[in-house]
Amino acid sequence: MPEGHTIHRLAQDYAAAFAGAPARVTSPQGKCSDTAALLDGTVLHTADAHGKHLFLGFRDPGHTDWIHIHLGLFGKVTFGPAPAPPPTDTVRLRLANGTTYVDLRGPTTCALITDAEKAAIHARLGPDPLRADADPAAAYRRVSRSRTTIAALLMDQKVIAGVGNVYRAEVLFRHGIDPYRAGRDITPAEWDAVWADLVALMREGVRNNRIDTVRPEHAPEAMGRPPRVDDHGGEVYVYRRATRPCHICGGEIRTAGLAARNLFWCPGCQRT
DNA sequence: TCCTTATGTACAA
DNA sequence: TGTACCTAAGGAC
């Protein structure tokens, strides 16, 4: 399930498995049949990611046909070895070659777009901590001029691309920042630290294909607690830990709705 | 078997 | 602010 690290990892994995040789492209579910028919038998030459948007580039550099994929909340991608099993009726898009197949289910978006349309998507997204071209100062310009809470700003893909509900909660905890503080009250030093932390955390997320945010000194073993992995597969401080004790201060983790999502934080540790 | 929930976003009112 | 959209897993019965 997708925050930016998932999408960047998928770009790597699609390219590793399919770049350079023709692939069978099908849409068993039918909702992507036109795209599949057009690209079937063509060659994937590159894959790109910006925030939570994935782009698969077919045909020639210069006039690429891109498949634009956004997983939304429910989308999933599964890779497996050839031969591909018969697809279930929810498979929106399948790529297959002699060694690997990959199935896409439940995406919000799976559409064929041009270079110009792809450029327009990049233009409306904020800097992505996982991209080499990212400019954290551009994000800070928006944050520092906004009365909106930092919790909402971190989820705004126009401000910063790729952060989702888990990284938002965890990075604010790691920096002791109250999620309800206004963006304009975040200092340059705080933003620099948050950005650098996101770069490191999300890179590790790409490597491990999961979100881990707990520092080594707070790991269960180091704290004398039993080993544990949180429900969603990673080690975290506050995400989905409402009413349970904070690993650091022992106080109760709180949750509240903010912009239609569940926010999690520790009032004891996040005082400023 | 039904109900809830989920790492997301867009659009209507 | 609310609702629609897409899927699957887990828990309550």
Side-chain angles (χ1 to χ4, degrees):
Chain A
M1 294 177 222
E3 294 194 23
H5 70 300
T6 302
I7 309 310
H8 283 259
R9 175 59 180 262
L10 285 174
Q12 289 179 11
D13 291 350
Y14 267 96
F18 293 97
R24 294 302 316 272
V25 184
T26 54
S27 180
Q29 184 195 46
K31 286 190 184 176
C32 213
S33 306
D34 293 353
T35 299
L38 202 68
L39 297 181
D40 191 21
T42 66
V43 176
L44 177 79
H45 69 79
T46 191
D48 192 15
H50 188 156
K52 301 166 190 171
H53 296 254
L54 174 63
F55 305 94
L56 304 179
F58 289 82
R59 303 183 193 275
D60 307 313
H63 13 268
T64 299
D65 285 331
W66 298 95
I67 301 182
H68 173 215
I69 294 169
H70 195 295
L71 295 181
L73 194 49
F74 311 126
K76 279 188 180 56
V77 173
T78 52
F79 286 80
T88 62
D89 58 8
T90 56
V91 176
R92 182 79 56 91
L93 188 76
R94 168 175 281 185
L95 269 56
N97 60 23
T99 54
T100 309
Y101 76 94
V102 57
D103 286 345
L104 167 67
R105 291 167 218 265
T108 289
T109 303
C110 175
L112 197 61
I113 62 169
T114 63
D115 287 309
E117 288 166 325
K118 178 173 182 280
I121 293 167
H122 289 294
R124 69 174 159 81
L125 291 172
D128 176 346
L130 288 172
R131 287 178 67 92
D133 62 10
D135 174 15
Y140 186 66
R141 279 195 289 277
R142 297 188 72 137
V143 167
S144 64
R145 290 167 190 175
S146 176
R147 280 168 290 185
T148 306
T149 62
I150 186 61
L153 289 165
L154 284 173
M155 295 283 279
D156 184 341
Q157 303 297 299
K158 298 187 296 299
V159 174
I160 179 169
V163 173
N165 209 16
V166 183
Y167 283 121
R168 155 176 87 169
E170 294 298 310
V171 81
L172 290 175
F173 177 89
R174 284 167 60 97
H175 294 267
I177 296 172
D178 181 336
Y180 291 98
R181 263 172 79 193
R184 62 185 180 184
D185 296 330
I186 301 293
T187 67
E190 284 173 323
W191 181 255
D192 288 347
V194 164
W195 178 273
D197 206 21
L198 285 169
V199 170
L201 288 172
M202 294 176 76
R203 280 185 184 161
E204 197 195 350
V206 174
R207 240 185 342 267
N208 301 333
N209 218 358
R210 55 180 241 179
I211 298 177
D212 296 285
T213 61
V214 175
R215 295 186 174 90
E217 64 267 33
H218 299 142
E221 310 80 62
M223 300 284 282
R225 293 192 311 272
R228 163 192 61 79
V229 169
D230 292 287
D231 298 343
H232 43 89
E235 288 279 354
V236 296
Y237 286 106
V238 293
Y239 176 69
R240 280 220 250 172
R241 294 196 66 249
T243 76
R244 292 154 68 186
C246 172
H247 296 327
I248 309 306
C249 75
E252 195 170 272
I253 303 300
R254 287 184 61 188
T255 186
L258 190 141
R261 310 304 299 281
N262 294 317
L263 173 66
F264 300 88
W265 81 105
C266 171
C269 293
Q270 297 171 256
R271 292 173 171 284
T272 66

